[in-house]
Amino acid sequence: MPNDKWNDEEIENLLRDFPKIQDRRPKAEVYKKLSHKEQAPKQPKRWLPLLVAIVTFLSISVLVASLLQQNGTDSSSESESSEAESTMATDEAPTEQTEPADGSTKESEGAASLAADGPEVKRSAVYESELEGAHVLRIGLAYHGYVVPTSFVIPEQLADTAEPNALELYETFAGQIDESGLGFDEYHPYEGELQQNGSTISHFLPDGHSYDQGSASTLLYLNSLEQTFMGQQEIRVLNEDGEAAQLSHVGTAEPLVPGEQGQSFYLLASSTSEWHLAPAYGMSPENVGDALMALQQSPNEDYRTPIPEGVSYRVEVDGMNATLIFEEPLDLEALDGMEAMQMIESMALTAQSYGSSLTVSNTAQVEWAGFDFSKELELPVSPNRIDWLEK
């Protein structure tokens, strides 16, 4: 006990009170028993069965885990193999089902390959070879003081007569054109009366007409007449009495001869930001060679050159035959399709306006978008094509 205090004397007294232990056996007997004392039997090792059970359990666990892993790997491999076979079967199935006996698969693949190369580049001007069953209404549309010749291709069944002349086409369809919707100013039909006699167009101006309000309006009017009736030999501007009209800024109106002077065709934008090919009035050289070379530079800030940056060429002229040669082999497919088309057609329209043929050489493509560069180009008959929709 922690509070009890013991001393040596008390301990000795306590020990004396214990009874004395006595062994009355003979010494011989005690010695004999000590000599022949049997060994006590060993206690059995109770932990050994437990150890064996643990080792057995662990061995079985490792074996089972190994077997499960092997089975899982085999199952995964079989699953992947089955999936691969299923995929292969799926991929092959359409081919087997859709492959025709006549071998048109190659044609389909070819068409798909062409489609992958991008949309087809189409010519934007009008060509004689594309006019079967149609008439062309060429009209000079106005925008901000400039004239853009535009060609409406009209199915022949819509015309009032089988072979309408230029004036009949104009009077039938000009009033139906949505000029503002196309990005131009509302300008047509002309004020006053128009008459056609053979290949001569006469315009009788009424009193108070709006074509003489300034030099710009007069030039716009005259350029519009020329582009609208480009196929005629002569255009006369008359007053109501049938005499040559007096225009404030030009004096007596002289007869116009459409196409008398060739024109360089540049790019000109309308209010829709669409670029059209249009002649540079009063800014074009006198010969086809200089006119083709001039296309590389814009004549003013309103026109834009149709020649892409980095493209250069020279021009050789032999009489009425012009040859345009690119300084470096030109890959038309490497250019933007529309830009490439505008370049080629501006050259062709420029040559056509001067009455010259045109050969383009040193191109990577022999044929491209309807053009055959191995010979003289087919020249347009009119720019900026719009197909007339039946109403």
Side-chain angles (χ1 to χ4, degrees):
M1 299 178 187
N3 293 327
D4 294 339
K5 295 182 179 180
W6 296 77
N7 53 37
D8 294 341
E9 185 178 357
E10 290 176 343
I11 295 172
E12 289 177 359
N13 292 331
L14 180 63
L15 291 175
R16 288 192 198 100
D17 292 336
F18 277 102
K20 293 182 180 180
I21 300 173
Q22 295 180 353
D23 189 359
R24 293 183 174 87
R25 293 177 298 172
K27 294 182 180 179
E29 182 180 351
V30 172
Y31 177 76
K32 182 179 179 180
K33 287 187 176 184
L34 290 174
S35 300
H36 296 86
K37 185 178 180 180
E38 296 180 359
Q39 295 183 352
K42 295 182 179 180
Q43 295 293 329
K45 297 181 179 179
R46 302 181 182 277
W47 51 267
L48 185 58
L50 178 62
L51 178 61
V52 172
I54 292 173
V55 171
T56 303
F57 175 79
L58 292 176
S59 300
I60 293 173
S61 300
V62 171
L63 180 60
V64 169
S66 176
L67 291 174
L68 290 175
Q69 183 178 3
Q70 182 175 359
N71 290 337
T73 303
D74 294 341
S75 299
S76 175
S77 299
E78 292 175 1
S79 175
E80 292 176 359
S81 177
S82 299
E83 290 178 3
E85 293 175 0
S86 176
T87 302
M88 292 175 63
T90 303
D91 290 342
E92 292 174 356
T95 303
E96 294 175 358
Q97 294 173 3
T98 59
E99 183 176 358
D102 59 358
S104 61
T105 301
K106 294 182 179 180
E107 296 178 2
S108 300
E109 291 175 353
S113 176
L114 290 175
D117 293 338
E120 181 184 358
V121 181
K122 294 184 178 180
R123 300 194 286 188
S124 66
V126 177
Y127 297 82
E128 189 67 39
S129 60
E130 301 171 351
L131 280 181
E132 183 177 358
H135 305 295
V136 177
L137 167 62
R138 175 169 173 152
I139 186 169
L141 299 181
Y143 181 68
H144 286 192
Y146 291 101
V147 175
V148 176
T150 306
S151 308
F152 292 91
V153 178
I154 302 171
E156 60 183 7
Q157 63 268 21
L158 298 182
D160 293 334
T161 60
E163 294 295 334
N165 58 33
L167 181 56
E168 289 171 339
L169 283 174
Y170 179 85
E171 291 184 332
T172 302
F173 297 101
Q176 303 179 41
I177 298 173
D178 182 8
E179 296 172 76
S180 60
L182 294 173
F184 299 95
D185 302 329
E186 293 293 339
Y187 198 78
H188 295 273
Y190 293 116
E191 302 174 36
E193 181 185 355
L194 288 163
Q195 292 182 3
Q196 180 166 359
N197 183 13
S199 58
T200 299
I201 294 288
S202 297
H203 186 197
F204 297 87
L205 292 175
D207 291 338
H209 62 82
S210 61
Y211 304 124
D212 197 20
Q213 296 178 352
S215 58
S217 67
T218 300
L219 289 176
L220 176 64
Y221 163 67
L222 296 176
N223 290 332
S224 175
L225 276 178
E226 179 179 358
Q227 290 301 325
T228 299
F229 300 107
M230 178 60 71
Q232 307 306 303
Q233 291 184 357
E234 187 176 81
I235 303 171
R236 297 176 180 176
V237 180
L238 310 172
N239 59 26
E240 291 183 314
D241 296 330
E243 299 177 351
Q246 297 294 315
L247 302 176
S248 301
H249 299 279
V250 298
T252 302
E254 299 292 335
L256 300 175
V257 180
E260 183 179 26
Q261 171 60 44
Q263 308 276 357
S264 297
F265 277 74
Y266 296 89
L267 291 168
L268 193 65
S270 62
S271 65
T272 60
S273 299
E274 183 178 356
W275 292 91
H276 310 269
L277 289 169
Y281 302 97
M283 294 178 282
S284 299
E286 294 184 358
N287 63 77
V288 65
D290 292 343
L292 289 169
M293 291 299 296
L295 295 177
Q296 298 175 92
Q297 299 293 329
S298 301
N300 62 25
E301 60 183 10
D302 294 319
Y303 288 102
R304 193 182 80 179
T305 173
I307 310 302
E309 184 177 357
V311 176
S312 60
Y313 55 84
R314 67 182 188 275
V315 177
E316 299 176 358
V317 179
D318 181 13
M320 299 305 294
N321 304 307
T323 301
L324 188 146
I325 307 164
F326 291 106
E327 297 292 355
E328 299 292 337
L330 182 62
D331 183 2
L332 294 167
E333 296 292 347
L335 301 176
D336 175 83
M338 180 176 293
E339 290 184 356
M341 180 59 69
Q342 289 170 338
M343 175 183 66
I344 297 298
E345 290 195 319
S346 71
M347 296 170 175
L349 286 164
T350 297
Q352 187 270 345
S353 73
Y354 283 87
S356 172
S357 66
L358 178 65
T359 302
V360 175
S361 63
N362 203 19
T363 58
Q365 292 77 23
V366 176
E367 295 183 359
W368 179 81
F371 293 107
D372 185 351
F373 298 111
S374 65
K375 55 185 179 182
E376 293 181 0
L377 294 187
E378 178 188 9
L379 300 181
V381 295
S382 194
N384 304 312
R385 174 175 180 153
I386 297 178
D387 290 322
W388 190 273
L389 299 178
E390 297 187 34
K391 299 180 180 179

